[in-house]
Amino acid sequence: MTTEPSSTIIDGKLIAKKIRDEIASEVARIKDSTGIVPGLAVILVGSRKDSQTYVRNKKKACEEVGIASFEVSLPEDCTEEDVIKHISDFNNNPSVHAILVQLPLPQHINEEKILNAVAIEKDVDGFHPLNIGRLAMQGRDPLFIPCTPKGCMELLHRYNVEIKGKRAVVIGRSNIVGMPAALLLQRANATISIIHSKTKNPEEITRQADILISAAGVPNMVRGSWLKPGAVVIDVGINAVDDAHSARGYRLVGDVCFEEASRVASAITPVPGGVGPMTIAMLLSNTLSSAKRIHDLK
Ligand code: NAP
């Protein structure tokens, strides 16, 4: 006997579309009333195909909501000084309200030095240590929250998932997803545990979670048996696995074994169509907020 999936599917694609529509109206309102157009600058170093695709998608998303996009593509062998010079130009450009350096950078470039060069007022990814530091401190607010974890929280809010007082578990502790996701859940008054590659018996910890956010980058690692019945599962992982039936020869799966988990969880994000579309929507949202803050607009 087979059991049908019982989970609510958390539709990131739909929510992201709603958010992009809200942003487009707000951008148009601001432009009509003040002439100000929010602007996002993206710096791409090297010729990684995946990074080029991400940058192209970000540019297209900006155009669709009326945000101006600025782009600089630098060769793989450029120097740190070249990158910092462009960051500095964007820091000083009043038409640019948000700056994003596409990661990863080539090996010879010091990521920390580059991210530190972005003006905190324009650090749309929220990766500047001052923004992360403020995220970690009680009573302080970062100017920007990193886009992917912010997208996870937005999904929880828009599906009315109660966070306060709940047990939340995050798999992964990276600077861009796991660590800020855990800080955000804690700020929302969840009690958090973080699992990483050295954690022993992770499934014993995940089984306590009312809310699980997984950002490990390991395909189908979280099985149905790892979950507490009724848990809410946000799957950040995007992993390519071989698939001879697909025209591309591969398909994308999350960290969570969706087929099993959707029989145990009360709600779950699919991959693709869950967190992925939310990341770009949050980038647009952060760019709009930045323009409003810089020009003191309501
Ligand atoms: P990352 O920098 O490689 O970090 C992965 C984290 O997972 C690390 O903290 C690592 O632990 C932990 N980990 C790895 N294997 C593990 C295991 N077997 N058990 C428990 N923990 C394990 O990756 P990331 O940049 O955070 O990205 C994570 C995933 O999210 C990737 O699949 C990525 O493609 C996806 N992603 C999606 C979006 C989106 O928009 N949906 C955005 C960004 C990333 P250690 O710290 O001990 O090494």
Side-chain angles (χ1 to χ4, degrees):
M1 195 183 80
T2 54
T3 17
E4 288 303 312
S6 56
S7 305
T8 297
I9 304 301
I10 300 178
D11 190 343
K13 206 169 157 189
L14 182 77
I15 300 288
K17 165 86 174 68
K18 277 190 193 159
I19 293 172
R20 291 200 310 272
D21 289 347
E22 290 161 14
I23 292 171
S25 318
E26 186 65 354
V27 168
R29 184 188 70 80
I30 290 174
K31 188 177 173 192
D32 288 348
S33 58
T34 66
I36 293 163
V37 178
L40 170 70
V42 179
I43 297 175
L44 174 67
V45 185
S47 49
R48 278 178 66 117
K49 288 272 170 290
D50 55 347
S51 293
Q52 285 172 342
T53 306
Y54 293 139
V55 168
R56 208 169 37 243
N57 290 344
K58 285 165 187 172
K59 201 171 167 185
K60 190 164 159 265
C62 282
E63 278 163 15
E64 281 169 7
V65 299
I67 289 177
S69 64
F70 302 76
E71 190 190 326
V72 166
S73 283
L74 297 170
E76 183 84 25
D77 60 355
C78 72
T79 63
E80 273 174 13
E81 287 67 34
D82 292 333
V83 187
I84 290 173
K85 154 91 177 59
H86 285 283
I87 293 176
S88 170
D89 288 348
F90 285 138
N91 281 345
N92 295 322
N93 182 342
S95 302
V96 171
H97 305 99
I99 302 170
L100 179 156
V101 181
Q102 186 64 44
L103 300 177
L105 291 165
Q107 287 278 314
H108 69 282
I109 292 186
N110 182 326
E111 181 181 300
E112 185 179 350
K113 212 165 148 187
I114 296 300
L115 295 182
N116 282 351
V118 176
I120 181 176
E121 305 78 26
K122 299 189 180 183
D123 172 39
V124 70
D125 261 337
F127 294 160
H128 193 289
L130 269 177
N131 270 323
I132 291 287
R134 289 183 185 183
L135 187 65
M137 292 172 81
Q138 290 197 7
R140 308 285 173 90
D141 287 315
L143 293 177
F144 298 95
I145 293 170
C147 300
T148 300
K150 185 177 176 183
C152 297
M153 297 301 285
E154 191 68 29
L155 286 175
L156 294 173
H157 292 316
R158 294 214 179 203
Y159 276 79
N160 296 317
V161 175
E162 171 134 24
I163 302 175
K164 186 173 155 189
K166 300 293 181 185
R167 282 296 302 263
V169 173
V170 178
I171 308 181
R173 55 178 167 180
S174 72
N175 288 342
I176 63 170
V177 192
M179 177 266 287
L183 291 174
L184 284 167
L185 286 163
Q186 180 166 263
R187 283 174 84 94
N189 293 313
T191 301
I192 54 167
S193 302
I194 299 171
I195 290 172
H196 48 74
S197 67
K198 311 291 181 297
T199 303
K200 299 221 163 44
N201 302 325
E203 63 274 26
E204 283 175 14
I205 300 167
T206 55
R207 273 198 286 270
Q208 296 169 24
D210 301 304
I211 299 167
L212 176 70
I213 296 184
S214 185
V218 182
N220 295 321
M221 176 176 78
V222 178
R223 310 296 303 262
S225 60
W226 286 36
L227 301 175
K228 175 174 167 178
V232 175
V233 179
I234 306 288
D235 189 354
V236 183
I238 302 179
N239 311 296
V241 294
D242 292 342
D243 183 356
H245 300 295
S246 154
R248 294 179 297 187
Y250 70 91
R251 72 195 150 88
L252 298 178
V253 300
D255 290 350
V256 178
C257 178
F258 184 86
E259 205 186 319
E260 292 178 7
S262 59
R263 293 183 161 82
V264 184
S266 62
I268 184 168
T269 55
V271 177
V275 177
M278 292 298 288
T279 297
I280 288 197
M282 293 300 104
L283 176 67
L284 303 174
S285 161
N286 278 355
T287 302
L288 172 60
S289 310
S290 180
K292 288 169 86 169
R293 185 167 42 232
I294 288 172
H295 296 283
D296 200 18
L297 304 172
K298 293 287 164 269

